[in-house]
Amino acid sequence: MAVLPVIQLPVLLNALRRIGCRLPLWIPVVVLLPLNAAAKEYTLGPQDKLRVRIVEWRASKAEYFDWSILAGEYTVGPTGSIALPLIGTLPATGMTVDDFASSVAEILQRRAGIPNRPEATVEIVQFRPIYVVGNVQNSGEYAYRPGLTVLQAIGLAGGFFRQTDAVPPRFERDQITATGAYEVARLETRRLLIRRARLSAELVDTAQINIPDELRNDTDAPRLVSDERALMNARMDELRSKLAANSELKNLFLKEIEALERKIAVQDRQVTLARREQQTISTLVDKGLAVSSREFIIERTLADLESKMLDYTTAMLRARQEVNKAEQTAVDLKADHKSKIVEEIQQVETQLEQLKARLTTTQGLVNEAANIAPRLMLDQQSKQYISFWIVRGNGENATKTAADENTSVEPGDVVRVELVTEGESLREIPGFSSTRETLNPRQRDIVN
């Protein structure tokens, strides 16, 4: 939400007096109030965590089908996209949750060939965090909630900085804290890089884990590789054990098929002999040389032999079905193993992207704590004023805007709290130049 910066009247008058300006009593005073733009629907961005669920109405069965394979929580990566199973990578940055849900449903319908468009619901589980830095008790990263203002964000950071003689200077604590956070993120990044190399080796069925280029000069890299290799060997042993058990089961059914084939061959010969004997006895009965009871007995014997022959054939078909099932199980075990590896690689890539952003932020906090120390040492005895800034966006697209206590904060914003000393001129007050750039021509005349 865009906010028009405001210079409070006492601050403006004091600043004008400091630079030697005198104001006649009859000059009217115009107070600039913040102009809040109309509320905009929230748009997604990197580090937003979403929960996705999709259902489809199947009229032929008169029931809803739950696409559980797609249900879950997903995080928008630094590239602004989300990877979903079956669907692939979808852009998310700049879209509302309704727009993203419609995009998921439309692509799923097209790729799955569904006649009726499924219903997709997307909700934000966790907004991307904000960062509060500067003259606060605890600089760092904080969870965002809708409706958060600058003053509330400062409250999350422990309020304005309060210097006491009983504790070390704030900038020293900030530097130690930021340095520790940076080191934790660096160690985690190193571990994830080795894990990604191990997963890549597993994916191509090789035992060689290549050390990433980023860790070529890291003396601890061989130990990390050794730990990951032990994990990889354990996973491969587990897969081989399952495949071996499945192979033994398959061999048992193959042996059963061989035995059944031999039984069927013997049974077939017995059926042939019984049929010949039946024909002979039938001829003797027709000539009156044998009694009909004998013909009945041989016919019953032939029926029993043919029934047993059918049982053997059915058993062999069942055994062959079990062989096919064992072969499919082996294929599924290998496919599941590969699928889990691919999923873990995607998770590692997402974590590495998040750690990269965290490293950049903590490095900035370390630099700030180191650079602001001399200024605080000089200004701690002088009267100071609080100035608020909001830095929105990253890189070349970042904008720095003056704010007040009631300015709304958006996810991903950096809230910066600075001190302005009494001896600074109006143009040295943080936010003055930004205010001139934001005001319209008439308001510039008033400020001037």
Side-chain angles (χ1 to χ4, degrees):
M1 180 180 295
V3 177
L4 185 61
V6 176
I7 295 181
Q8 301 295 336
L9 182 59
V11 177
L12 177 60
L13 296 178
N14 290 335
L16 291 174
R17 292 192 187 100
R18 287 198 297 272
I19 61 176
C21 293
R22 295 182 178 275
L23 292 176
L25 296 178
W26 53 268
I27 292 181
V29 177
V30 179
V31 179
L32 302 181
L33 299 177
L35 300 177
N36 292 335
K40 298 179 180 178
E41 189 172 359
Y42 180 74
T43 56
L44 302 176
Q47 299 189 54
D48 279 335
K49 193 172 185 179
L50 310 177
R51 181 182 292 117
V52 178
R53 184 177 179 184
I54 303 175
V55 296
E56 174 198 350
W57 171 253
R58 294 187 172 178
S60 59
K61 297 182 178 180
E63 63 179 11
Y64 279 99
F65 174 73
D66 186 5
W67 286 81
S68 57
I69 192 174
L70 294 173
E73 296 182 355
Y74 304 90
T75 302
V76 182
T79 58
S81 59
I82 295 179
L84 296 174
L86 301 180
I87 294 179
T89 301
L90 297 180
T93 295
M95 302 177 67
T96 64
V97 290
D98 292 337
D99 293 340
F100 184 72
S102 299
S103 177
V104 171
E106 180 181 351
I107 295 179
L108 177 60
Q109 179 186 14
R110 186 170 63 251
R111 294 194 176 180
I114 303 173
N116 298 322
R117 181 172 175 177
E119 295 293 334
T121 59
V122 178
E123 59 179 324
I124 299 177
V125 179
Q126 179 179 325
F127 293 92
R128 52 188 181 273
I130 63 168
Y131 304 90
V132 185
V133 298
N135 194 58
V136 293
Q137 285 294 113
N138 303 302
S139 299
E141 175 184 304
Y142 295 93
Y144 173 83
R145 61 172 179 76
L148 191 69
T149 64
V150 169
L151 187 59
Q152 291 170 342
I154 295 173
L156 294 176
F160 297 108
F161 170 67
R162 298 176 295 277
Q163 179 69 53
T164 62
D165 297 333
V167 296
R170 178 196 62 81
F171 57 82
E172 293 183 5
R173 298 201 313 273
D174 284 353
Q175 187 171 9
I176 293 172
T177 302
T179 302
Y182 179 85
E183 184 64 16
V184 169
R186 187 188 68 83
L187 294 175
E188 181 67 13
T189 300
R190 185 181 62 172
R191 185 177 64 84
L192 288 176
L193 287 172
I194 295 295
R195 177 177 297 178
R196 183 176 64 181
R198 185 257 299 172
L199 292 172
S200 299
E202 279 190 87
L203 191 61
V204 296
D205 295 327
T206 179
Q208 180 64 32
I209 301 178
N210 297 321
I211 297 178
D213 294 337
E214 298 91 337
L215 303 179
R216 290 292 182 187
N217 299 324
D218 194 323
T219 57
D220 202 31
R223 181 186 65 82
L224 296 174
V225 170
S226 177
D227 294 342
E228 291 294 331
R229 182 177 290 110
L231 178 60
M232 180 176 69
N233 291 336
R235 287 159 58 105
M236 293 302 298
D237 289 343
E238 179 184 6
L239 177 62
R240 282 193 288 266
S241 176
K242 292 180 179 179
L243 290 174
N246 188 72
S247 178
E248 291 179 0
L249 181 62
K250 175 184 173 181
N251 291 333
L252 288 176
F253 284 114
L254 289 175
K255 290 179 180 179
E256 181 180 355
I257 291 174
E258 293 177 0
L260 288 171
E261 287 176 344
R262 289 194 295 269
K263 286 184 177 182
I264 289 174
V266 173
Q267 194 71 11
D268 185 62
R269 288 196 296 271
Q270 291 180 353
V271 169
T272 301
L273 292 175
R275 285 175 178 170
R276 290 178 182 175
E277 185 177 359
Q278 181 194 24
Q279 292 175 355
T280 301
I281 293 176
S282 295
T283 302
L284 292 176
V285 170
D286 292 340
K287 294 179 178 181
L289 299 177
V291 295
S292 59
S293 58
R294 186 177 179 184
E295 183 181 14
F296 175 75
I297 292 173
I298 194 61
E299 287 178 353
R300 185 171 60 183
T301 301
L302 179 60
D304 292 340
L305 291 173
E306 290 177 343
S307 176
K308 188 175 294 185
M309 181 76 166
L310 183 60
D311 292 340
Y312 289 156
T313 303
T314 303
M316 187 172 66
L317 291 175
R318 187 180 297 111
R320 286 176 177 173
Q321 184 179 10
E322 293 296 334
V323 170
N324 293 335
K325 186 185 298 183
E327 292 175 349
Q328 184 61 43
T329 300
V331 173
D332 292 342
L333 285 173
K334 295 178 181 179
D336 290 343
H337 182 69
K338 295 290 185 182
S339 177
K340 290 179 180 179
I341 292 175
V342 172
E343 183 179 356
E344 290 181 13
I345 289 177
Q346 292 179 345
Q347 294 175 353
V348 169
E349 292 288 355
T350 300
Q351 293 173 0
L352 282 173
E353 291 175 349
Q354 294 175 351
L355 283 173
K356 183 179 179 181
R358 188 183 302 174
L359 283 171
T360 302
T361 301
T362 52
Q363 182 63 56
L365 294 175
V366 171
N367 295 336
E368 181 199 0
N371 295 333
I372 202 173
R375 179 179 174 184
L376 289 178
M377 293 291 291
L378 294 175
D379 295 345
Q380 63 183 0
Q381 299 300 327
S382 61
K383 187 176 180 181
Q384 297 170 325
Y385 300 92
I386 299 294
S387 176
F388 307 106
W389 293 82
I390 290 182
V391 180
R392 186 164 296 161
N394 296 312
E396 298 179 353
N397 297 324
T399 58
K400 184 177 180 182
T401 308
D404 60 27
E405 296 176 346
N406 298 318
T407 300
S408 296
V409 179
E410 295 184 4
D413 283 354
V414 178
V415 178
R416 187 182 183 91
V417 182
E418 294 183 352
L419 295 177
V420 182
T421 61
E422 187 177 9
E424 290 178 335
S425 68
L426 182 59
R427 291 184 179 275
E428 293 172 334
I429 297 176
F432 179 78
S433 61
S434 176
T435 302
R436 288 176 55 86
E437 294 173 0
T438 307
L439 299 181
N440 58 44
R442 181 182 176 185
Q443 291 169 331
R444 290 175 186 169
D445 294 338
I446 296 172
V447 175
N448 289 333

